[in-house]
Amino acid sequence: MFFEKKINPSPHSSPANNDIDIEVAPHTANTNNGDGQTSLKRGLKSRHVGMFSIAGAIGTGLLISSGTALSRGGPGSMLIAYSFVGVLVLNIMSALGEMAVFMPMDKGFGGYASRLVDPAFGFATGMNYFLKYVVLLANNLTASGIIMQYWLPNVNVAVWVVSFAVVVIIINFMPVQYFGETEFVAACIKTVTIVGLMILCLVIDLGGSSQGRIGFRYWNHPGAFKEYLEPDSTGRFLGFWACVTNASFAYMGSEMVGMTFGEASQPWKTIPKAISATFWRITFFYVGGVFCLGLVVSSSNDRLIDATKASTGAGASPFVVAIMDSGIAVLPHIINGCLLVFVLSAANTDIYVASRTLYGLAKDSYAPSLFKFTKRSIPIFSVAAAAAFFLLALLNINSGSAVVFGYLVSLSTILGLLNWVSILVTYLFFQKGMRVQGIRREVLPFTGHLQVTRARITLFFTVLIILTSGFSSFVHKFDPITFVVNYVGIVLYVFWFVSYKFIRQTKFVGFCEMDITTNIVTKQYVEELERGIS
């Protein structure tokens, strides 16, 4: 259990000198522990939350679809793109952290959007986030089938989709601490595997295989910056931008750690540590991983998943391609097993995040009250609704798994980018409301350096990536399927917002009326708590 402080700005206070009255009240997130409760339990420990984003985010983005980035832009473009998007992720996580530590909520990102911007914006944010993760669920289950085809190429992917879906669904119906332990173990496996793959790539590059010393051979030929769709400098820029879009998908799960904040104990300690550690871990794994990968796999290798539309086997993972090309026996099978753990962990996380988002929507009366019903602190109906979307992955029955995988990547990327926009817009409203109400940033327990400016710059580039994500559908010949897959998410996002605003006649939350004083944690209170003052 923890306590919050309530800040009551004096009606006569000015922005420069605001009087703050402190009211300490017990947090009630864990009340009603019997069946039929509507609250979640703070059963996730600091180590669970700290590793959660790694467990959920490191999956198909790095291990399989990075082959698409390499084949389109080359190793140089891929490295720069992943570094650039990594900075954007840091800015988003820091902005989210300022809000989440100050006002911990168990309603997800939609809860912040409703409280600080507009109920219609909260509804659109929540629905979009839910849709993103059920699409990612199908994406990761499809990836699991692709991996299994390495061993059993004649078995339909749908068989593996259903089999693995049953496993991850069962885990999500268990108490949250079991979910936390499962993802903690998965994150440890991922950490060891990624570090091992990076070391292996360096060993191969330095001459530890039958290929001899590779060095920067593939950076020189075919080249560090590959042409994509167009020749010369235009093609190289398009290749780079294709890598930016791909990197956005790869980093997409980094913000999902925010969904655990409502079930995290001592959020003023847990959240800052999780945000700081998450960025550095993800940056090390992703930026370091793609750098090592670019050394040992040629961007013209026809086994990369985007090099040929026929690629369906797990050998399409660029790391497995590197091992196979080096002539190392047995190891590809071991790595494939690890990759399977990766994508199933991500699928497990997808159900968790989608169900908690739906739970938050129900608590805000955006979804039927059935979805906020919990049994043993598990929102069972929300979990069931989220899990049902695994059926999307069964599109593989009639289409090639690589094709379906590509469509799901594009759709989930645009949905994820829109979620980033929601977080940043909500944060900027939050900061404006603080200024208008005369609440100084000094009261925040966690702050980022130049965070407001960083948020604005990140919002600009995120919107730019959204608008240009489907550029390939316009080059040479218009591709309607690619266009729809890349932009239908925007239409849905606008539809959620406009329809709810029209039906409920909601209004934007005014900066003066914005509720940023209820159930909050201040820096002064944390200092008092650490000194043992209650």
Side-chain angles (χ1 to χ4, degrees):
M1 178 176 292
F2 71 97
F3 299 86
E4 300 93 349
K5 289 197 165 186
K6 185 174 182 179
I7 297 181
N8 297 313
S10 170
H12 304 293
S13 63
S14 64
N17 183 22
N18 185 47
D19 296 328
I20 300 177
D21 297 328
I22 302 299
E23 177 185 339
V24 180
H27 189 269
T28 59
N30 289 335
T31 60
N32 281 333
N33 290 327
D35 291 350
Q37 66 176 0
T38 59
S39 297
L40 301 179
K41 181 180 180 181
R42 294 184 178 274
L44 294 179
K45 301 177 182 179
S46 178
R47 62 186 176 89
H48 294 152
V49 177
M51 297 294 281
F52 184 86
S53 187
I54 294 178
I58 297 182
T60 57
L62 174 62
L63 299 170
I64 296 180
S65 67
S66 57
T68 302
L70 182 59
S71 68
R72 292 180 178 180
S77 293
M78 181 172 64
L79 179 62
I80 296 173
Y82 274 68
S83 301
F84 170 68
V85 178
V87 173
L88 300 184
V89 171
L90 170 63
N91 296 338
I92 294 167
M93 294 293 291
S94 184
L96 174 61
E98 285 195 7
M99 293 188 296
V101 177
F102 187 58
M103 48 178 73
M105 297 173 62
D106 63 355
K107 297 181 181 180
F109 305 125
Y112 289 108
S114 298
R115 180 172 171 176
L116 303 173
V117 183
D118 187 314
F121 190 62
F123 176 72
T125 298
M127 289 300 298
N128 185 75
Y129 209 69
F130 173 79
L131 184 59
K132 173 205 166 183
Y133 275 97
V134 294
V135 170
L136 275 178
L137 170 64
N139 176 279
N140 284 307
L141 289 174
T142 297
S144 70
I146 292 176
I147 290 174
M148 291 302 298
Q149 284 189 328
Y150 181 80
W151 293 299
L152 301 168
N154 296 324
V155 178
N156 193 289
V157 172
V159 174
W160 305 117
V161 167
V162 174
S163 300
F164 293 135
V166 171
V167 175
V168 296
I169 290 172
I170 290 175
I171 292 175
N172 273 273
F173 275 110
M174 299 172 68
V176 70
Q177 59 265 33
Y178 293 101
F179 169 85
E181 290 296 341
T182 300
E183 290 307 297
F184 180 81
V185 172
C188 292
I189 294 174
K190 290 181 178 185
T191 302
V192 172
T193 303
I194 289 294
V195 172
L197 285 173
M198 292 169 63
I199 294 173
L200 178 61
C201 287
L202 291 175
V203 170
I204 293 173
D205 181 68
L206 295 174
S209 71
S210 58
Q211 294 175 291
R213 185 182 178 88
I214 299 175
F216 283 86
R217 180 192 308 169
Y218 299 133
W219 285 61
N220 296 321
H221 180 76
F225 302 95
K226 189 176 180 180
E227 298 172 357
Y228 178 58
L229 298 178
E230 293 288 342
D232 303 325
S233 57
T234 301
R236 287 189 287 272
F237 174 77
L238 292 179
F240 164 74
W241 203 249
C243 290
V244 169
T245 303
N246 184 274
S248 300
F249 169 73
Y251 279 103
M252 201 54 67
S254 299
E255 83 291 340
M256 75 168 64
V257 69
M259 295 303 297
T260 68
F261 294 164
E263 295 173 85
S265 59
Q266 296 185 312
W268 58 86
K269 291 183 179 180
T270 303
I271 295 173
K273 289 169 61 177
I275 289 174
S276 177
T278 293
F279 170 75
W280 293 112
R281 290 167 181 166
I282 296 296
T283 299
F284 171 76
F285 294 138
Y286 274 89
V287 177
V290 297
F291 171 72
C292 295
L293 178 64
L295 293 175
V296 295
V297 180
S298 170
S299 60
S300 61
N301 193 305
D302 60 8
R303 279 187 290 188
L304 296 175
I305 198 166
D306 197 57
T308 170
K309 298 301 181 181
S311 292
T312 56
S317 169
F319 290 97
V320 177
V321 170
I323 298 171
M324 294 173 66
D325 288 346
S326 66
I328 301 176
V330 180
L331 188 57
H333 296 278
I334 297 175
I335 298 302
N336 275 333
C338 294
L339 299 189
L340 185 61
V341 172
F342 279 38
V343 297
L344 291 181
S345 167
N348 189 34
T349 302
D350 295 335
I351 295 179
Y352 174 89
V353 176
S355 64
R356 268 50 178 188
T357 300
L358 188 57
Y359 167 83
L361 288 169
K363 288 198 71 174
D364 276 338
S365 300
Y366 294 147
S369 59
L370 177 70
F371 294 118
K372 67 179 179 181
F373 176 89
T374 60
K375 187 176 181 65
R376 295 188 298 274
S377 298
I378 301 297
I380 56 176
F381 293 108
S382 292
V383 171
F389 281 84
F390 86 89
L391 296 171
L392 283 174
L394 297 182
L395 291 170
N396 295 291
I397 295 176
N398 296 320
S399 302
S401 55
V403 175
V404 173
F405 178 81
Y407 290 158
L408 293 174
V409 165
S410 298
L411 179 57
S412 57
T413 298
I414 201 70
L415 294 173
L417 288 168
L418 288 168
N419 288 326
W420 289 1
V421 168
S422 295
I423 293 172
L424 293 167
V425 169
T426 301
Y427 172 76
L428 293 174
F429 269 70
F430 166 66
Q431 286 298 317
K432 178 68 173 178
M434 286 188 62
R435 290 195 298 272
V436 170
Q437 296 185 26
I439 300 176
R440 301 181 302 275
R441 282 178 57 82
E442 286 78 6
V443 305
L444 299 178
F446 172 77
T447 56
H449 185 61
L450 298 175
Q451 185 55 54
V452 176
T453 301
R454 290 161 54 194
R456 290 170 178 164
I457 294 173
T458 302
L459 179 60
F460 169 79
F461 280 110
T462 303
V463 172
L464 181 63
I465 296 172
I466 290 173
L467 296 178
T468 58
S469 61
F471 71 88
S472 61
S473 62
F474 300 101
V475 179
H476 298 160
K477 182 180 179 181
F478 180 69
D479 185 346
I481 296 179
T482 302
F483 174 81
V484 170
V485 169
N486 279 282
Y487 293 108
V488 68
I490 301 176
V491 177
L492 290 173
Y493 189 80
V494 174
F495 171 77
W496 300 129
F497 177 79
V498 173
S499 61
Y500 192 89
K501 197 166 185 64
F502 176 77
I503 295 172
R504 296 291 183 92
Q505 297 293 307
T506 64
K507 295 181 180 180
F508 281 97
V509 178
F511 295 115
C512 293
E513 295 77 24
M514 184 182 296
D515 180 11
I516 49 178
T517 62
T518 301
N519 292 335
I520 61 175
V521 178
T522 66
K523 183 177 182 180
Q524 178 185 353
Y525 172 65
V526 173
E527 292 174 349
E528 292 175 355
L529 190 67
E530 291 176 347
R531 291 197 303 265
I533 301 176
S534 61

